[in-house]
DNA sequence: CTAAAACCTGACGTTGACGTCAGAGGCAAG
DNA sequence: CTTGCCTCTGACGTCAACGTCAGGTTTTAG
């Protein structure tokens, strides 16, 4: 398929796809006239790239992790890299969970009569939140 | 306390604090000579701002939520706003959890003998991940 | 009192992931 | 063949959250 269709299928812009190629995240076969052609699998690849972007990884980091797909690089370094990014994401989830719980506490007090919507200290959050999990 | 000490305590730069003030996120008493002075509570405030930044909120959004602190704005709009951001964060946590699980699957296969480190399809991830929670 | 350290405003620089525009070429339909 | 849409490269624009520098005032240590 050509770039427009891939863009439509994967929900990203044509410009973004060219940018991904420029960053070494996505390669395309070129027809004689220079037009890009992608296999079906490219859509999945783009989804994965989007996931990693959404997880806060830079294109450089993604480029360092993705070779794991094409080549059979399974070195100690690549595994360490994967583990490092995994734990980064884990920490990010934990931080987001704390933030969400804090917002929850505010929302709960916002519903109560006179509170006037005050921000809550951490111990209050801990006391009020026994339902959503922070492992 | 003055801006340098607040920066040291809260772990952000002096420039960032001035930027927060510029964005209406943080106010300071000015001494006659124009220097900023902050109460102790400012450190907590800065921590909160950092939390919300880390959760992907823009300074404009934070500025719209923070008045909830000072004034007693507890309108339906403010509560809707809080709820909206809360669910945004929730969705973000869910997406990050999926990404983490996918990385986990890759890491697990990366440890097995010949696999050559392949990326995994979603059903494989679902099949392999019965331990980490995705509520 | 003086020098160093901290603070002020104002303004320009940086970075990443694209958006957008210009100008030129390619491709299927009528 | 030509019309209309798609694609190409190349280059400049954008936006947010600061970094950094300049040039001047204030506070503090000795």
């Amino acid at each position: 398929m050509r770039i427009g269709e891939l863009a439509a299928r994967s929900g990203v812009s044509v410009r973004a796809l060219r940018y991904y190629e420029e960053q070494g995240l996505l390669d395309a076969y070129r027809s004689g006239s220079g037009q890009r052609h992608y296999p079906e699998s490219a859509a999945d690849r783009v989804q994965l790239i989007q996931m990693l972007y959404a997880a806060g990884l830079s294109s450089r980091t993604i480029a360092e992790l993705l070779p794991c797909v094409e080549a059979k690089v399974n070195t100690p370094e690549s595994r360490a890299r994967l583990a490092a990014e995994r734990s980064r994401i884990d920490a990010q989830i934990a931080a987001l969970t704390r933030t969400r719980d804090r917002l929850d506490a505010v929302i709960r007090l916002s519903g109560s009569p006179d509170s006037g919507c005050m921000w809550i200290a951490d111990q209050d959050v801990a006391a009020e939140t026994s339902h959503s999990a922070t492992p």
Side-chain angles (χ1 to χ4, degrees), chain A:
Chain A
M1 88 190 74
R2 291 190 305 175
I3 197 170
E5 191 181 343
L6 178 57
R9 283 203 200 178
S10 52
V12 310
S13 71
V14 167
R15 177 65 172 96
L17 294 178
R18 289 201 269 250
Y19 177 74
Y20 296 164
E21 181 173 346
E22 189 182 320
Q23 302 297 309
L25 308 180
L26 184 64
D27 43 349
Y29 311 105
R30 297 303 188 103
S31 70
S33 59
Q35 298 208 345
R36 294 169 178 85
H37 290 269
Y38 301 91
E40 300 293 322
S41 62
D44 287 21
R45 171 68 90 96
V46 172
Q47 299 284 353
L48 177 58
I49 293 173
Q50 290 281 99
M51 277 187 85
L52 297 177
Y53 271 130
L57 307 200
S58 69
S59 53
R60 200 178 60 81
T61 303
I62 298 178
E64 287 170 13
L65 292 185
L66 278 188
C68 191
V69 188
E70 304 294 333
K72 41 263 173 194
V73 274
N74 183 2
T75 71
E77 294 82 18
S78 76
R79 267 169 299 180
R81 193 78 210 220
L82 286 168
E85 293 306 328
R86 191 220 115 96
S87 67
R88 252 181 36 82
I89 293 176
D90 234 27
Q92 203 174 337
I93 291 175
L96 279 177
T97 302
R98 282 195 299 273
T99 304
R100 185 194 59 184
D101 289 349
R102 190 146 180 186
L103 274 185
D104 274 349
V106 171
I107 289 172
R108 252 192 309 285
L109 288 209
S110 164
S112 77
D114 61 318
S115 70
C117 182
M118 278 286 298
W119 289 101
I120 315 303
D122 277 332
Q123 57 271 32
D124 298 332
V125 175
E128 287 240 8
T129 16
S130 46
H131 58 301
S132 50
T134 312

